Structures are given as C-alpha cells and as structure tokens.
Amino acid sequence: MTTRIVELRQGILKKNDELARGLRQRYGSAGVLVLNLVSSPGTGKTAFLERTLRELRAGGARVAALVGDLETDNDARRLAASGAPVRQINTHGICHLDAEMIDKHLAGWDGVELGGLDYLFIENVGNLVCPSSYDLGEGIRVALLSVTEGEDKPLKYPTLFNSADAAVITKMDIAEACEFDCELARKNINEIRPGIRIFETSAKTGAGMDEWLGYLAEGRTGRS
Amino acid sequence: MTTRIVELRQGILKKNDELARGLRQRYGSAGVLVLNLVSSPGTGKTAFLERTLRELRAGGARVAALVGDLETDNDARRLAASGAPVRQINTHGICHLDAEMIDKHLAGWDGVELGGLDYLFIENVGNLVCPSSYDLGEGIRVALLSVTEGEDKPLKYPTLFNSADAAVITKMDIAEACEFDCELARKNINEIRPGIRIFETSAKTGAGMDEWLGYLAEGRTGRS
C-alpha cells in the first residue's frame, strides 16, 4: 500500500512539475513576476497582500492576484478592495494549489492577460506542509510567519522554509504583546535556509513595506 | 488519475477507520478519556495543553500526552515540563496523525499503560485540513482557534469544525491587541457546528481554564 502511494504521489508531482515548467515559460515570455505566498492559516497573508497590491498600484504597477481557499470567497473580496483584479480558487477539500488549478484559472480571466501584468501574486491555501511540494512556476516563493506563531516554526516545517526565496514576518505591530523573539526567529530561518532575505512587516502600520516593495522591484529588474 | 487517487484515499481512510474503531474500544475498556487537539500551526496548542496537563495533575488526575510534529521534539520537551509522561511522534513529511501511528506509539511506551490513565491527550500536527479526515479513536475532538487567526476560520475550514466536539479559542489575553471579534467568531463556529461547546481561554493568564477542566471532568463522568 505504502509503495503504491509513494509511486502515485511521485507521478502526481512529476505531472505538476511539467505543468509548472510550462507556466514558468509563459510567465517569462509575458514579463510578469509571479510570487507564491505560503503560510499557516491566520498568518495574515491576505492583509499583507492587500497592502502590497494597494501600494504597488499606487506606484503605477499593473498587478493581479489568484487566491486559494478550501471554501468561501472572503479573501478574494478582501483583496478586491485594493482595486486589483482578483480571482478566487476554491479547492473544495484539497489542501494546496497545484499548477493545473493555476493554469485553469488564468484561462478565461475576464480582462486579465499575463502580458498586461507586472506582478501576479498567488495566495496559497493556508497550510505549512503540502504547498511546499507543488511548484506553481512562480519566480519567487515567499514563506510567511507571524509573530504569534512561535519562533521555531522554521525548524518544525523545514521543507517550506528550505524551498522559499524570501521570508516575511508579519504582524510586527503585536510582536511585543506576543513576546516574540525576532532574533531567534531570524536565526532559525537562517539555519534552514542560510542567507535568505527576511522582511519584518506590519500590514497595519506599514512597517517594512518599503523594503519589501524594493525587493519586488529588484525581482522585476533582474528578470527584464 | 483522479479516480485512482480517490479510490486509494478511500481505501486508506477505510483502513484508518477500522484501526480507529479498535483504538476506541481499547480506550473504552481502559476507562481513559482521549482527546484529539487539532488546529493551525501557531494556535498555541502546546501552551494550552501544557497548562491543562499541569492543572489536571495538580487535581490528582493521571494524564499523558502524545504529540505529533513533522520534525523536532520541541513540543514534547515543552509538555514534559508539566511532569506528565509525553511521547513525540515525528511524521517526517506527513501532515496529520493517523490511527496506526497512535497504535504504534502506545505500544512500548515506557511506564505508561492505558488502564493507568484518566486522560490521554493527542496533539495533532498543526494543520486545519487533513487531520479532520483521520479518526484516532478519540472520545472528544477539539478544534482550537487563536484570536490572531481571524474570525472566519470556521467558515474557511468547515470540515474540522464540523467534526469537532468542542472549540477552544486561545490567546484571549491578546484579543484586544488583535482586535478580535469574539462574538463574530462564536457566530461562525455555531454556523458550522450548531450548539458546540466553546471555551475562551488563555494559557498565559489561566482565563477559561476552570470551565474547560469542568468540561473534561464531565466527559469522564459521562464515560464511567
């Protein structure tokens, strides 16, 4: 039984990798930088992304977002407040997004063409485990961690942090109330993924957003 | 491909259900109340459980805990501070506990016999999705939600809340800093699982612990 599951899983991942490769080529040709945001439920991905979309739009960038959830379109509605085009993907019980879901939802997205975008954000299903295994063809994978979650999350969920290109610490405005040890968190992240860029942010106060937006701009320059 | 996965998944779940049924009978014969604690990573399951174990022991109850994590034995070491016997289960990439893992770790647990326990707590892997599908034979399934996670988690992860016997809201001490709307959270939980018992707790201040311990005592009385 175990052997069959492993084989089947490898087959699924292989198929996903092939689809992701195709997506990556399409993103490259279109000149759009794609980011895949992964975290636990409740880390504040949506608040962080909403502020990111809003600030990028204010700076004249063309942005859009796909957002994954098991059920509800709450997050899509929240993100739409930024004024950016947003499309909800409901996975109905699947605990991650895969390349096929992205491919399907890019097709027939009213008024949105990859070639007309500077940035496409994908907010993954809230889960620290399974999304790590599914390449969505993204240029940058972002692991988010909130100050309420404990400094040892990177050690407990190494695959996500090890496969990420950037780490974002969220909710810094309540760091003190949570007795969050930022240096320890940074040390743990660095242990799993040495040298990774780490951003300390608050979607509420705007702390750290300038540095984050600078990183996004660099990401585009590096690609064009 | 999809059909084969669904069939295989149903096969796995059926096997798990059979094992869980066996476990449930063993718990019943031994007279131990077993609780399965499920939440997102970072909800504060470990802090809540550590306080629960400590207070139960202070009241003379015989308690033990199994704790699931992908990697590390950090949580087992934290829980052991309560003085209760604790055993770590490392799942190495699997995002939930299953009945077979419980069965294996109950066997050969130095100094711990089911018949010598009043309560056995199982702290599941931090994940709001997959643990919902795996019965561990528990008497009470507890869904935990922290004030930092957003009031709409029950709507976004209905399977967990729908399959739970009790809901515990954690970190009430920082509810205000997080602008947590407790009434809205209760309303959302009730929408998914009408009439479920809801506890508002803080492992830090001890708020809500008396009511929670009363509920545990009722759970045992109902079973003996």
Side-chain angles (χ1 to χ4, degrees), chain B residues 44 47-49 51-52 54-55 144-145 147 167-175 182 186 198-214:
Chain B
F48 176 75
L49 179 51
R51 182 148 194 155
T52 301
R54 201 150 32 87
E55 299 207 1
L144 295 95
L145 169 75
V147 301
V168 170
I169 302 174
T170 59
K171 307 191 190 180
M172 283 301 292
D173 53 290
I174 54 168
C182 206
R186 296 185 79 106
I198 303 174
F199 301 89
E200 299 174 18
T201 69
S202 163
K204 200 164 163 183
T205 66
M209 294 303 293
D210 283 349
E211 195 188 343
W212 164 246
L213 295 174

Side-chain angles (χ1 to χ4, degrees), chain B residues 41-119:
Chain B
T43 298
K45 278 186 300 304
T46 310
F48 176 75
L49 179 51
E50 202 267 328
R51 182 148 194 155
T52 301
L53 293 173
R54 201 150 32 87
E55 299 207 1
L56 283 171
R57 277 171 53 85
R62 299 165 303 167
V63 298
L66 290 170
V67 51
D69 273 300
L70 277 80
E71 306 292 343
T72 83
D73 63 349
N74 291 2
D75 286 358
R77 283 188 285 117
R78 282 173 63 195
L79 290 174
S82 68
V86 178
R87 192 167 197 193
Q88 180 80 48
I89 305 178
N90 277 139
T91 63
H92 303 297
I94 310 280
C95 60
H96 56 266
L97 295 177
D98 64 29
E100 193 176 357
M101 296 180 200
I102 302 302
D103 188 43
K104 268 192 194 161
H105 286 79
L106 286 175
W109 188 358
D110 257 3
V112 176
E113 295 287 338
L114 283 179
L117 293 176
D118 298 314
Y119 301 95

Side-chain angles (χ1 to χ4, degrees), chain A residues 41-70:
Chain A
T43 298
K45 278 185 300 304
T46 309
F48 176 74
L49 179 51
E50 203 266 327
R51 181 145 193 158
T52 300
L53 293 173
R54 202 151 30 88
E55 299 207 3
L56 283 172
R57 276 173 53 85
R62 301 165 302 167
V63 298
L66 290 170
V67 52
D69 274 299
L70 277 80

Side-chain angles (χ1 to χ4, degrees), chain A residues 194-214:
Chain A
I196 189 175
R197 283 286 292 273
I198 303 174
F199 301 89
E200 299 174 17
T201 69
S202 164
K204 201 165 163 183
T205 66
M209 294 304 293
D210 283 350
E211 195 189 343
W212 164 247
L213 294 174

Side-chain angles (χ1 to χ4, degrees), chain B residues 38 171 184:
Chain B
V38 184
K171 307 191 190 180
L184 180 57

Side-chain angles (χ1 to χ4, degrees), chain A residues 1 4-5 8 11-12 40-42 69-72 74-75 93 95 125-130 148-149 152-153 155-158 171 174 177-179 204, chain B residues 1 4-5 8 11-12 40-42 69-72 74-75 93 95 125-130 148-149 152-153 155-158 171 174 177-179 204:
Chain A
M1 194 66 152
R4 276 186 61 208
I5 296 168
L8 194 58
I12 294 167
S40 170
D69 274 299
L70 277 80
E71 306 292 341
T72 82
N74 292 2
D75 286 358
C95 61
V125 176
N127 183 339
L128 280 179
V129 184
C130 310
T148 70
E149 289 172 51
D152 64 349
K153 283 288 162 299
L155 307 180
K156 291 165 88 174
Y157 299 88
K171 307 191 190 180
I174 54 168
C178 298
E179 297 171 17
K204 201 165 163 183
Chain B
M1 194 68 148
R4 277 185 61 207
I5 296 168
L8 193 58
I12 295 167
S40 171
D69 273 300
L70 277 80
E71 306 292 343
T72 83
N74 291 2
D75 286 358
C95 60
V125 176
N127 183 338
L128 280 179
V129 184
C130 310
T148 71
E149 290 173 50
D152 64 348
K153 282 288 162 300
L155 307 180
K156 291 165 87 175
Y157 299 87
K171 307 191 190 180
I174 54 168
C178 298
E179 295 171 18
K204 200 164 163 183

